[in-house]
Amino acid sequence: MSNGISHFGSRCRAAPGPTLRRSSASNSVPSTLLASLFAKLWSKVLATLLLLPIPAFAQPAQQAVKGWPTDWQMSMPKGVSPVAERLDSFHDMLLVIITGITIFVLALLLYTMIRFRRSANPVPSKVTHNTMVEILWTVLPVVILVVIAVPSFRLMYYMDKAKSPEMTVKITGHQWYWSYEMPDNKVDEFASNMVPDDKLQPEHIKKLSVDYPLVVPVDTDITLLITGADVIHSWLLPQAGVQRHAVPGRTQETWMRITVPGTYFGQCNQICGTLHAYMPIEVRAVPKDVFAKWTQAVASSTAKDKLRDANEKVLGINYKWMDSPKTAEAVPAR
């Protein structure tokens, strides 16, 4: 019986099976289908691009305000403080270094692909070590890091605190608004909320304008004491080169000196809850004499809303939108 089984197995192994062959037609079907799908997709992309409206180069009148974002703006916003100017210089230096490294590595890859391709090197090299190359690829990165580290640490210490501060502003992050206090100028703590979408005026910027902006004098070293009242926030004013986390129970110190009068915007850049996107920052930098008039107006005002009274009289801020009834679509300020 065993002989019969082995004989049957040998016959099965010997029996020729059908040979599977791919025809040229079957190979071309997937490539043809892919080409058709790509052509349709590309035609839709071109049609969408052609239908897009061409943005106008003319700027709206309100964008003439110093510090406001403008159409076709590229790169980082222009710095208006010594810290921001140094940050821009440091960024430009890093851009040159990283561009040089990228071009150098790309050149090495292209050289290797061409010089050591199979047709030019039928017998590949078996070299595994090169003392000089290993020294270079160890020393050069260290030198590059030192070149980056020296100005980086110098800038970090420069950003830390003002040498001779002239005034102090206490900043507190809340869910979801900011509050400011100026103890040196007898300005009590006040809340700064985003202007709701249904209250926007022509002089406002959506999601950036606030009801009571922080008013500071130009050419003044200002110490900023930043903390949080509930969760972690982050006070970011890019054009002044300031960014500090507002941590509950801890006070972070930094400083700024705005050299150009204008209106500058920032946002909380630490996710802090459902309305994180609705707690912008607006800073109005004014000449020193205007700031003195503003602080005096706040201190001497007999109005119920002293801050509004001073902002209207000294800064010319329009608050008529506050007097109109609210709608159901208004985003809650706090």
Side-chain angles (χ1 to χ4, degrees):
M1 182 175 178
S2 60
N3 291 336
I5 294 174
S6 61
H7 177 66
F8 177 77
S10 63
R11 290 185 62 185
C12 290
R13 288 191 297 270
T19 302
L20 298 178
R21 296 181 180 178
R22 293 183 178 180
S23 64
S24 59
S26 63
N27 284 335
S28 62
V29 171
S31 60
T32 305
L33 179 61
L34 288 175
S36 175
L37 291 175
F38 180 78
K40 291 180 179 179
L41 178 62
W42 182 242
S43 62
K44 290 182 178 180
V45 171
L46 287 177
T48 303
L49 292 175
L50 291 174
L51 291 175
L52 287 176
I54 301 176
F57 285 91
Q59 305 297 329
Q62 65 266 29
Q63 290 189 350
V65 178
K66 186 67 177 180
W68 284 37
T70 58
D71 292 341
W72 300 95
Q73 189 172 358
M74 298 180 64
S75 188
M76 296 185 296
K78 182 175 177 58
V80 292
S81 73
V83 172
E85 291 173 357
R86 296 195 182 197
L87 284 171
D88 290 346
S89 299
F90 184 65
H91 167 268
D92 295 340
M93 184 194 74
L94 290 181
L95 186 61
V96 172
I97 292 174
I98 194 63
T99 302
I101 292 174
T102 304
I103 294 175
F104 176 71
V105 172
L106 177 62
L108 285 180
L109 287 173
L110 293 175
Y111 174 77
T112 303
M113 293 165 60
I114 296 172
R115 174 66 178 81
F116 298 102
R117 65 189 188 278
R118 176 180 293 184
S119 59
N121 292 272
V123 180
S125 172
K126 297 182 179 180
V127 176
T128 57
H129 295 281
N130 187 297
T131 303
M132 181 57 66
V133 172
E134 292 177 2
I135 291 175
L136 288 176
W137 75 35
T138 302
V139 173
L140 286 179
V142 172
V143 172
I144 294 173
L145 290 177
V146 170
V147 170
I148 295 174
V150 171
S152 174
F153 282 110
R154 187 184 296 119
L155 180 57
M156 287 176 61
Y157 281 106
Y158 181 74
M159 296 169 58
D160 190 30
K161 58 179 64 178
K163 294 182 179 179
S164 302
E166 301 172 64
M167 63 176 288
T168 301
V169 176
K170 182 182 178 182
I171 304 170
T172 306
H174 306 262
Q175 288 184 312
W176 288 268
Y177 64 99
W178 296 97
S179 66
Y180 304 101
E181 182 181 356
M182 303 178 185
D184 298 334
N185 305 96
K186 305 297 188 293
V187 178
D188 296 332
E189 185 177 19
F190 63 91
S192 179
N193 294 281
M194 185 191 75
V195 177
D197 291 351
D198 65 320
K199 302 291 186 181
L200 290 172
Q201 303 298 309
E203 65 270 17
H204 292 152
I205 297 181
K206 186 176 181 179
K207 299 292 188 294
L208 287 179
S209 294
V210 300
D211 50 5
Y212 298 108
L214 173 62
V215 182
V216 297
V218 298
D219 299 323
T220 304
D221 290 346
I222 305 171
T223 294
L224 304 177
L225 303 178
I226 304 173
T227 188
D230 33 48
V231 299
I232 299 177
H233 303 275
S234 184
W235 201 81
L236 169 68
L237 191 65
Q239 287 169 287
V242 178
Q243 190 271 325
R244 279 291 187 277
H245 285 88
V247 183
R250 180 176 179 179
T251 301
Q252 304 268 44
E253 180 179 349
T254 186
W255 71 287
M256 69 177 180
R257 180 188 180 92
I258 298 179
T259 57
V260 181
T263 303
Y264 306 101
F265 298 96
Q267 289 179 311
C268 174
N269 68 335
Q270 177 70 36
I271 297 178
C272 55
T274 55
L275 297 182
H276 159 69
Y278 303 101
M279 50 181 303
I281 299 162
E282 181 178 347
V283 176
R284 297 209 175 193
V286 299
K288 290 185 177 182
D289 58 336
V290 176
F291 180 76
K293 293 178 182 178
W294 179 80
T295 54
Q296 181 62 30
V298 173
S300 61
S301 176
T302 57
K304 183 177 179 180
D305 191 341
K306 295 183 178 181
L307 207 62
R308 171 177 174 173
D309 186 48
N311 287 348
E312 287 178 331
K313 291 179 178 179
V314 180
L315 304 179
I317 299 178
N318 177 19
Y319 283 102
K320 291 182 179 179
W321 59 270
M322 277 189 171
D323 301 327
S324 59
K326 295 183 179 180
T327 63
E329 298 180 356
V331 178
R334 57 180 183 273

